[in-house]
Amino acid sequence: MKKVIAISGGGTGGHLAIAKALMQECNKAQIPCIYIGSTAGQDRDWFESEEGFSHRYFLPTQGVVNKKGIGMIKSLFLQLKATFLAYKILKKHKITHLFSVGGYSSAPASFASILSFTPLFIHEQNAIKGTLNRLLSPFAKKIFGSFEDRSKNFYPTSYPVREEFFIKARERMKLKTILFLGGSQGAVAINDFALQIAPILHQKGIKIIHQSGERDYERLKEQYAWLNIPVELFAFNSNLVEKMREADFCISRAGASSVWEMCATALPALYIPYPYAAGNHQYYNALFFSSKSLGILCEQKDLNPQMLEQILNFPIAEVSNSLPSHISPNGAKEILDSILD
């Protein structure tokens, strides 16, 4: 029987990066695949012109979590309507496997796979399952993930990280360059922490690279100038792998993609989880590494200049040497091979 895979889900870059990695692996194996996502979120920005999918569908849906009253009813109605559209799409393309990366974008196709008896496979990026993945887990043939999970149908794989992160990996020996990452939107807490410790870093001859986010760029530019501290400051950079390669230590949020990209490139980090992430999942992502002495975990409420002492005394060479052993460059292939098995 000819295999045709549907990949569904998205909303955020973390979800969509997994979808793209599996699409690329399907292309290598010459297995046709389609994409089913949402008109909301970043789905269209990523895949509307992506030729790696034979067909791309964007259904009118929106998130249900945290909605109340009329908003909740409207969201559920859109999800229900989209589920029937997704059911027709699965039948039209004779889909043999559905791979869900999570997020509200994946709900219609995932429920349609259950209704049509199409084997459902789930990828959970984080150490704590999202609401939809918890709901769908009993119906999934396998749940893929790179953190720890006690589900009976859990199948551990390496996190699908782009090959360039492995290519750019290097072993760090001492702290010469530090990188502050607050994500594309920036993180005021990380930005303020950087300004607090910048004078000491500069005094010790440590180079500062800092992604500020668009909203905080001008403030930081003025503050660094006032402090008379040289800095490589930028609002956003789509080629962060080069900045990671240059750095010896990173101060970052703890989104799943970020922590595993740093792992792949052998970059030790101080993780400051976003405190309002659903289920506090960033905290548990960071805990996975800090509990193995592969990084430092500090909650935002505890962040203060005294953390610099831990950074300066951190065993960078030892951890940088250990990190790559926790991930392989074949994460997407591991997932596809398991799906086809």
Side-chain angles (χ1 to χ4, degrees):
M1 183 180 180
K2 181 182 177 182
K3 295 176 174 61
V4 185
I5 293 178
I7 300 174
S8 184
T12 67
H15 293 109
L16 293 160
I18 302 294
K20 185 169 185 176
L22 193 73
M23 175 210 74
Q24 291 171 337
E25 206 57 45
C26 286
N27 292 168
K28 289 179 189 176
Q30 297 185 326
I31 296 173
C33 59
I34 70 169
Y35 175 74
I36 304 174
S38 175
T39 53
Q42 301 176 31
D43 300 16
R44 272 184 162 161
D45 293 338
W46 277 63
F47 293 144
E48 192 158 31
S49 302
E50 177 55 69
E51 295 181 355
F53 292 111
S54 62
H55 295 80
R56 299 160 298 280
Y57 297 92
F58 303 95
L59 309 180
T61 58
Q62 55 185 240
V64 176
V65 178
N66 297 328
K67 293 285 177 64
K68 295 180 181 179
I70 298 298
M72 169 72 81
I73 294 171
K74 181 182 178 182
S75 295
L76 288 172
F77 175 75
L78 289 174
Q79 290 285 358
L80 181 62
K81 187 176 179 181
T83 296
F84 288 105
L85 291 174
Y87 182 92
K88 292 178 180 179
I89 292 168
L90 298 185
K91 290 297 184 181
K92 175 184 176 181
H93 294 283
K94 299 179 180 178
I95 299 300
T96 57
H97 306 73
L98 181 89
F99 179 72
S100 165
V101 298
Y104 63 83
S105 299
S106 69
S110 298
F111 289 124
S113 73
I114 296 169
L115 293 173
S116 62
F117 299 100
T118 303
L120 170 65
F121 299 85
I122 291 172
H123 187 277
E124 176 53 62
Q125 289 90 57
N126 296 298
I128 297 293
K129 280 195 186 82
T131 302
L132 181 63
N133 278 355
R134 286 202 306 272
L135 184 63
L136 292 171
S137 289
F139 302 96
K141 294 288 184 184
K142 290 179 181 176
I143 303 162
F144 300 106
S146 305
F147 294 101
E148 293 159 353
D149 192 307
R150 295 181 179 178
S151 302
K152 291 181 179 179
N153 49 354
F154 177 69
Y155 187 90
T157 66
S158 289
Y159 196 93
V161 170
R162 297 200 310 273
E163 186 179 15
E164 61 190 300
F165 285 95
F166 295 95
I167 294 172
K168 299 290 184 180
R170 67 176 180 87
E171 186 176 347
R172 280 76 178 175
M173 301 308 296
K174 59 185 295 186
L175 180 54
K176 297 179 181 178
T177 302
I178 194 164
L179 172 64
F180 293 91
L181 284 181
S184 59
Q185 301 301 313
V188 173
I190 291 177
N191 292 344
D192 289 344
F193 178 62
L195 292 173
Q196 289 171 341
I197 67 174
I200 300 175
L201 294 172
H202 178 54
Q203 184 182 15
K204 291 182 175 295
I206 298 170
K207 180 182 176 180
I208 301 171
I209 304 175
H210 192 152
Q211 181 191 51
S212 64
E214 296 285 352
R215 290 173 291 190
D216 220 11
Y217 177 78
E218 291 299 331
R219 178 178 76 96
L220 288 176
K221 184 179 178 181
E222 291 176 4
Q223 289 292 314
Y224 277 118
W226 183 78
L227 291 168
N228 196 28
I229 294 175
V231 60
E232 187 177 333
L233 180 69
F234 55 94
F236 174 74
N237 191 312
S238 60
N239 194 24
L240 277 179
V241 64
E242 292 294 343
K243 306 302 180 187
M244 288 186 182
R245 177 175 173 77
E246 187 177 353
D248 301 298
F249 192 86
C250 186
I251 296 174
S252 170
R253 290 300 195 194
S257 293
S258 296
V259 297
W260 287 110
E261 286 167 358
M262 288 186 282
C263 182
T265 198
L267 178 61
L270 164 66
Y271 307 108
I272 305 166
Y274 178 58
Y276 308 108
N280 203 17
H281 66 259
Q282 287 201 9
Y283 172 84
Y284 293 99
N285 292 350
L287 185 63
F288 177 84
F289 288 92
S290 66
S291 65
K292 295 175 171 57
S293 300
L294 295 172
I296 306 170
L297 167 59
C298 178
E299 293 190 71
Q300 184 169 300
K301 62 182 175 61
D302 299 324
L303 188 61
N304 61 70
Q306 282 69 48
M307 285 301 302
L308 179 58
E309 186 176 350
Q310 283 194 53
I311 296 170
L312 295 174
N313 293 322
F314 191 74
I316 287 178
E318 179 185 339
V319 172
S320 181
N321 182 60
S322 299
L323 280 167
S325 65
H326 294 269
I327 188 171
S328 85
N330 300 311
K333 187 177 187 302
E334 291 173 25
I335 291 171
L336 182 59
D337 288 347
S338 182
I339 288 174
L340 298 179
D341 284 343

